[in-house]
Amino acid sequence: MELLLKLLENESRRAEDTSADDYCCESPPILPNYSDQEFLKNFRVNKQLFYWLLDKFSRDGFGSKQPQQGGGRKIVLAQKHLLSFLWYIGHGSNTFREVCDKFHISKDSFSKVIERCTSFFRSISVEFISWPNELEAAASKQSFYAKSNIPNIIGCIDVTHITISKPLEQSDSFYNQHRLHSVQLQAICDHNGRFLDVSVGFPGSFSCAEVYRNSLIYDSLPQLCHGVYIVGGNDYPLSSWCITPYENNTRLSEVEKNYNDRLKAVLTLVEDAFQKLRQRFTILRYIRLQKVASVCDLVLACCVLHNLTIGDKFVFGDDEEMELQDGENRAEILEDDLEEGIELRNAIARVLSTRGNQY
């Protein structure tokens, strides 16, 4: 009887290993089994981009190594690495176990899949999340000018909260004003919603100003924005490289109101970028990871993929995510920079008022 049970168990394992399930079959490739539209819907990238990612992922050595002699666990090949990871970040309602079951991967193996995939996207992030070159900056300035009538804008900046499980360490600092644990993502985007810079991992308890002041790009912005500027909301400090709206708690003139309306038209672009990021990669609505470093790597991977997928035919649905906002606190800024920002903002507002209300 014991021998029979062992035979049945071995047969069951062989059946699982040779399953024809579309999600786990390695050979032949599963991609032809999907139409382009179905593949994009299920895996959040088109087939052409997937093939490119698969080739680079394999060539850069992020796939599993061959198993040691003597057997052991079945290896997870490069194709399954990427497919399971893309499914995981694109279907946030699926639990970890559900993704493992769908792709016939053990939980330990899938943890390594996530680690390898996020390491891969981190390795290419500098290439695909970068400050614009001269031609790209010119295109941004032209597009922002057409939208707002304000010259020399190359990007807009904002912060969003990413809800997470209670972190293993320093959990209190990640507790935000909405009584949820979260990390914050700051991004600067261009006229197409492409991220030019991202900073992720700041605790949910931080103000927008603290995130801004502690981001890696903060000290470089005066040089990067020489002769140009970015647009921020009221939570950002006004400077000669970051222009912001007039405060609504004061009595505004028609000139100031007109200026604020133009800036709002620009700021919707970064808000739209965050919304599309969440709609495509729904894992960002609630990340069930407790290591903050792993959360940061996962968010960065989604940001890289966001930039790589701009312009495809993905159908965005309604975003039910509650947008968490923070911020009364401002970043400290030198008085000279503030005065220059005030002069710049007033000058722009006056020029806009002479052009009428046409965008």
Side-chain angles (χ1 to χ4, degrees):
M1 184 64 178
E2 183 178 352
L3 178 60
L4 177 59
L5 289 174
K6 287 184 178 180
L7 288 173
L8 289 172
E9 183 180 357
N10 291 337
E11 184 64 27
S12 176
R13 287 175 179 172
R14 282 196 296 272
E16 180 178 347
D17 288 344
T18 58
S19 171
D21 189 301
D22 284 346
Y23 296 112
C24 69
C25 181
E26 294 286 359
S27 180
I30 74 161
L31 304 193
N33 295 335
Y34 289 90
S35 68
D36 292 343
Q37 185 176 2
E38 288 173 336
F39 188 85
L40 181 59
K41 178 181 179 181
N42 281 290
F43 298 102
R44 273 29 186 188
V45 302
N46 60 44
K47 286 184 180 181
Q48 183 179 5
L49 176 57
F50 177 80
Y51 279 123
W52 181 86
L53 289 170
L54 180 61
D55 179 65
K56 188 165 182 61
F57 183 84
S58 301
R59 285 190 292 107
D60 290 356
F62 285 95
S64 296
K65 297 180 180 179
Q66 291 298 319
Q68 297 179 353
Q69 287 194 355
R73 293 179 179 174
K74 183 182 177 183
I75 62 171
V76 181
L77 300 183
Q79 179 170 277
K80 192 187 287 189
H81 266 80
L82 283 178
L83 289 174
S84 59
F85 179 74
L86 291 170
W87 180 277
Y88 172 65
I89 63 176
H91 300 269
S93 61
N94 283 187
T95 65
F96 203 84
R97 181 181 297 277
E98 286 172 334
V99 178
C100 292
D101 289 345
K102 185 178 293 293
F103 288 89
H104 294 221
I105 305 174
S106 70
K107 290 181 68 175
D108 288 345
S109 293
F110 189 55
S111 294
K112 292 181 174 62
V113 164
I114 294 175
E115 182 179 340
R116 292 190 187 103
C117 287
T118 54
S119 295
F120 165 67
F121 285 108
R122 185 174 64 246
S123 74
I124 65 173
S125 62
V126 176
E127 183 178 356
F128 295 105
I129 301 177
S130 60
W131 203 250
N133 59 34
E134 188 173 340
L135 289 176
E136 292 167 338
S140 285
K141 288 191 289 185
Q142 183 178 2
S143 180
F144 280 123
Y145 182 80
K147 191 174 185 67
S148 67
N149 238 354
I150 301 177
N152 297 325
I153 298 174
I154 62 166
C156 42
I157 186 170
D158 202 359
V159 166
T160 188
H161 286 254
I162 308 291
T163 307
I164 62 173
S165 297
K166 182 179 179 180
L168 294 174
E169 298 179 357
Q170 299 180 326
S171 60
D172 289 347
S173 66
F174 290 88
Y175 204 57
N176 61 44
Q177 61 181 353
H178 296 274
R179 299 182 179 180
L180 298 170
H181 290 96
S182 66
V183 297
Q184 298 188 64
L185 166 65
Q186 176 182 273
I188 302 173
C189 77
D190 68 6
H191 62 292
N192 288 320
R194 183 178 72 89
F195 295 136
L196 308 177
D197 179 79
V198 297
S199 296
V200 62
F202 300 101
S205 62
F206 273 31
S207 69
C208 176
E210 289 175 305
V211 173
Y212 181 55
R213 186 172 57 243
N214 287 283
S215 62
L216 291 176
I217 200 170
Y218 178 72
D219 290 332
S220 302
L221 281 174
Q223 291 74 39
L224 291 172
C225 293
H226 182 68
V228 296
Y229 32 82
I230 59 176
V231 175
N234 283 121
D235 293 332
Y236 284 88
L238 177 64
S239 66
S240 60
W241 60 86
C242 181
I243 59 174
T244 62
Y246 289 99
E247 290 282 3
N248 286 325
N249 59 2
T250 62
R251 189 172 181 178
L252 301 181
S253 68
E254 290 303 316
V255 170
E256 292 167 337
K257 290 178 181 177
N258 180 50
Y259 165 87
N260 277 6
D261 288 342
R262 306 300 177 92
L263 250 63
K264 287 178 182 177
V266 173
L267 286 170
T268 58
L269 292 174
V270 66
E271 294 166 2
D272 288 345
F274 283 146
Q275 186 179 49
K276 289 180 177 179
L277 179 71
R278 276 192 174 88
Q279 288 175 348
R280 188 187 292 263
F281 307 112
T282 58
I283 189 71
L284 298 180
R285 296 179 179 181
Y286 180 67
I287 298 180
R288 298 177 179 88
L289 297 176
Q290 292 184 295
K291 293 183 178 179
V292 174
S294 299
V295 170
C296 294
D297 286 343
L298 188 65
V299 175
L300 179 61
C302 293
C303 290
V304 172
L305 284 165
H306 167 87
N307 278 4
L308 287 169
T309 54
I310 286 176
D312 65 17
K313 297 180 180 180
F314 182 77
V315 178
F316 292 96
D318 294 331
D319 189 2
E320 299 175 355
E321 177 71 13
M322 177 182 66
E323 187 67 22
L324 302 178
Q325 297 295 341
D326 200 349
E328 294 297 326
N329 244 329
R330 301 291 186 78
E332 295 178 4
I333 197 159
L334 295 177
E335 186 175 345
D336 290 343
D337 292 328
L338 178 58
E339 290 181 359
E340 289 180 11
I342 292 173
E343 292 177 4
L344 174 62
R345 180 169 66 183
N346 290 339
I348 293 172
R350 287 193 298 270
V351 170
L352 287 173
S353 68
T354 65
R355 295 176 179 171
N357 294 322
Q358 297 298 318
Y359 280 71

